[in-house]
Amino acid sequence: MKVLIVGGGGREHAIALAVQQSPQVDKIYCAPGNAGIAQLAECVPIGVMEFDRLADFSVEKGIDLAIVGPDDPLVGGIVDVFKKRGIRTFGPDKKAAILEGSKAFSKDLMKKYGIPTAAYERFDDPDKALAYLETAKMPIVLKADGLALGKGVLICNDLDEAKEGIKTIMLDKKFGDSGNTVVIEEFMTGREVSVLSFVDGKTVKTMSSAQDHKRARDNDEGPNTGGMGNFSPSPFYTEEIDRFCQEKIFAPTVAAMASEGRPFCGVIFFGLMLTSDGPKVLEYNARFGDPEAQVVLPRMKNDIIDVMNACIDGKLDTIDLEFSDKAAVCVVLASDGYPGSYEKGKKITGFEAFDGLDDRFCFHAGTKFDGGDIVTNGGRVLGITALGDSIADARKKAYEATGWIDFSNKYMRSDIANSVLSASDIK
Ligand code: AMP
Ligand code: GLY
C-alpha cells in the first residue's frame, strides 16, 4: 500500500520509521518531510496547510492511507477535505480536533463531564478578566484559547504579571485571534506526564507513558519550548495512577466527545499533572506529541498500520497494544538561541554513526538538503533517541550518541531524565 504522511518534523520522522516497518507498506510519501525523512520516504514540496494540493496529490498517486502529524492542519480541517475526496485518513476531523484547537472548549467539556482538571474561568472581555484577577489566588495560569505554537500559556506569579499577561494575550494579540478568549486557570503543582492514546470514536487504547522537558535550559529554567527531550516510560506513572486515569479521564473524555456529536478518531495526547489531589488534565492534544512520538513509537511492537486502520474502522477493541520493556530517552539537539532567534543553514555531520543501529535513532526535526550537505533548518534540529535496559542506560546511550553529531551552533540540555535518576520515590 501507499502511505502519505503530512508534516515534516521529528514526530513525522518517528511515524515514518514505524510505517516503514510495516510489511504492508510499499511506498511512503511525506509532505513536506525533511532531510532525514527523505531516507524513508519520497518527500513532496507541499505545505501542510495546502489541503487541496495535498488532496490532489493523494488522489493522483492513489494513496491508500494518509496520516496527519501536526496540530495546525488537523484543527484547520484537513481530514474533512481528505475524506470528502475519498482519501482514507488517520486523524480527527475538524469538529473533533477542537479538543486541542480551543482550550475554552476542552475546559468546558471537562467541567460538563466531571473530568479532573484545574479550576478555571473563561473570558472574552479583557476588562472582566482583569477584574477577576483582582481577587484570584496567585500564581495563576493564563491560556490563550486557540493554537499558539505551544506558547500561549503564561504562568504568572503575581497580580502585576497576570495583568500584563492579559494585555499580551487579549489586547496586544501576541498570539493573534487565539487570544480573543482567555482561560484563567488555577496553578497546579506536581509531576507532569504525557499519555498518548489511539482512539476510534468509542474505544481508547493508551500507549506507554512519557515525560517531556519543556523548558529550554537545565533545571527547568528558561522559556517554554516545543520540548527539549523526554523519556518513556515514566516511572512516576504507576499502575494505580493508570487505573484512575483510564476510568476517570481517558474513557470519559472519549465518551464525552461522542456524546457531543464530535466522535474522535486518531491520537489523543493527554497532558497530565500528578497532583497531591490525584491526576488532573493539563491539556489535550489531538495528535502525537513531538518529541513524545520519538520515544513512544520506537517502543511500540504493533504494526502501526493495523492500529491506524482499526481506529478508522471503529475496531480498536480488537487490538492489544504492546510495548517493549526497553526504556527510551530522547535528547533534542537544538540551534543555540531557540526558542528565540537562532541561525540556520549550519552543516551537520556524523549521521553515518547511526547506520544499521536498532537501539539508537537520529530523528530529524529541522533539517534540509543544501547541495550535497544536510544543514540545520529550524530551532529543534534533531532528536537523538536511545533504547536501553533502564532509563539510566538509555540516557547514557542517548547522551553518548549526541556526541556523534556536530554542527556549529549545537545546543542541548544536559539533564534530560535526571529527575528519574535522582527521584527517591521510585526505584
Ligand atoms: P500546555 O501548553 O497547556 O501544555 O502548557 C504548557 C505548560 O504549562 C505545561 O506543560 C505545564 O508545565 C504548564 N501548565 C499549564 N497549565 C498549568 C496549570 N494549570 N498549573 C501549572 N502549570 C501549568
Ligand atoms: N511535546 C509537547 C507537544 O507535542 O505538544
Side-chain angles (χ1 to χ4, degrees):
M1 63 188 283
K2 294 182 192 164
V3 175
L4 169 69
I5 300 170
V6 177
R11 163 184 42 221
E12 287 75 27
H13 194 172
I15 294 171
L17 185 62
V19 167
Q20 190 212 27
Q21 284 162 357
S22 168
Q24 305 174 59
V25 174
D26 306 304
K27 172 88 184 169
I28 311 174
Y29 296 94
C30 189
N34 63 35
I37 296 172
Q39 319 286 318
L40 310 171
E42 184 176 330
C43 294
V44 256
I46 308 179
V48 300
M49 298 306 287
E50 297 182 80
F51 300 169
D52 289 330
R53 284 188 68 205
L54 288 168
D56 290 345
F57 175 85
S58 301
V59 170
E60 183 195 317
K61 294 291 181 189
I63 294 296
D64 300 293
L65 175 66
I67 303 168
V68 184
D71 44 2
D72 279 323
L74 289 168
V75 171
I78 189 173
V79 174
D80 307 64
V81 173
F82 274 31
K83 282 191 178 160
K84 226 176 260 163
R85 300 281 298 273
I87 304 156
R88 191 175 168 81
T89 310
F90 177 78
D93 61 13
K94 189 171 179 170
K95 66 178 188 296
I98 192 174
L99 191 62
E100 172 165 8
S102 167
K103 293 198 194 283
F105 170 87
S106 68
K107 294 296 292 191
D108 290 351
L109 186 86
M110 287 186 267
K111 187 191 265 179
K112 180 169 173 189
Y113 291 90
I115 297 165
T117 188
Y120 76 102
E121 297 288 337
R122 55 179 285 183
F123 297 94
D124 305 319
D125 176 348
D127 289 334
K128 291 201 173 127
L130 289 167
Y132 171 79
L133 286 175
E134 294 289 344
T135 56
K137 195 164 156 255
M138 300 292 149
I140 201 153
V141 184
L142 311 182
K143 298 186 171 183
D145 176 44
L147 295 181
L149 297 170
K151 292 179 185 149
V153 175
L154 304 179
I155 294 176
C156 305
N157 291 309
D158 55 39
L159 183 59
D160 285 345
E161 263 184 51
K163 285 180 169 168
E164 198 51 41
I166 291 293
K167 182 170 173 287
T168 307
I169 296 175
M170 299 191 87
L171 299 172
D172 302 346
K173 290 274 160 74
K174 180 159 176 212
F175 311 110
D177 286 345
S178 289
N180 290 348
T181 298
V182 74
V183 168
I184 304 187
E185 190 172 282
E186 163 203 11
F187 177 75
M188 301 189 288
T189 52
R191 290 188 190 279
E192 284 185 45
V193 56
S194 308
V195 178
L196 279 56
S197 65
F198 288 101
V199 182
D200 72 353
K202 48 190 192 300
T203 300
V204 51
K205 295 271 170 115
T206 49
M207 296 175 240
S208 189
S209 61
Q211 185 176 326
D212 198 4
H213 296 63
K214 284 204 167 131
R215 300 294 204 95
R217 285 192 278 285
D218 283 4
N219 303 316
D220 289 330
E221 288 169 8
N224 251 322
T225 71
M228 293 299 291
N230 59 3
F231 57 86
S232 171
S234 165
F236 308 111
Y237 186 77
T238 60
E239 275 177 29
E240 189 191 341
I241 293 174
D242 183 56
R243 267 196 302 276
F244 176 91
C245 294
Q246 299 283 356
E247 194 187 319
K248 304 282 187 202
I249 297 179
F250 307 150
T253 299
V254 172
M257 290 298 281
S259 306
E260 294 293 308
R262 300 170 182 274
F264 191 106
C265 171
V267 169
I268 299 182
F269 166 143
F270 297 88
L272 305 173
M273 189 168 272
L274 309 180
T275 75
S276 55
D277 214 17
K280 294 189 180 178
V281 176
L282 275 172
E283 62 159 349
Y284 294 117
N285 293 316
R287 53 174 172 82
F288 285 101
D290 193 359
E292 283 82 351
Q294 301 177 48
V295 286
V296 171
L297 289 180
R299 297 185 51 234
M300 191 170 88
K301 292 184 182 169
N302 303 70
D303 181 329
I304 196 170
I305 300 294
D306 287 342
V307 181
M308 290 180 166
N309 276 330
C311 288
I312 297 170
D313 295 333
K315 293 183 178 156
L316 191 57
D317 57 334
T318 63
I319 299 271
D320 280 321
L321 293 182
E322 283 188 82
F323 285 82
S324 127
D325 292 335
K326 297 268 183 203
V329 171
C330 171
V331 179
V332 169
L333 300 184
S335 303
D336 197 9
Y338 170 76
S341 58
Y342 52 83
E343 291 177 12
K344 295 192 213 176
K346 308 290 182 192
K347 179 175 172 180
I348 313 170
T349 56
F351 295 116
E352 59 291 343
F354 291 85
D355 289 349
L357 300 184
D358 60 7
D359 61 348
R360 311 217 212 189
F361 308 94
C362 178
F363 293 115
H364 290 229
T367 65
K368 66 169 189 182
F369 288 108
D370 181 12
D373 294 333
I374 294 178
V375 301
T376 65
N377 189 41
R380 293 190 293 177
V381 177
L382 301 166
I384 307 296
T385 296
L387 298 175
D389 294 331
S390 61
I391 295 280
D393 183 40
R395 181 185 183 283
K396 191 161 151 269
K397 287 165 74 180
Y399 271 106
E400 181 191 43
T402 62
W404 302 346
I405 293 285
D406 207 22
F407 53 93
S408 68
N409 57 347
K410 171 175 138 184
Y411 170 79
M412 70 184 129
R413 273 181 64 159
S414 67
D415 65 347
I416 302 301
N418 276 10
S419 62
V420 178
L421 309 187
S422 60
S424 54
D425 49 340
I426 53 151
K427 291 207 201 69

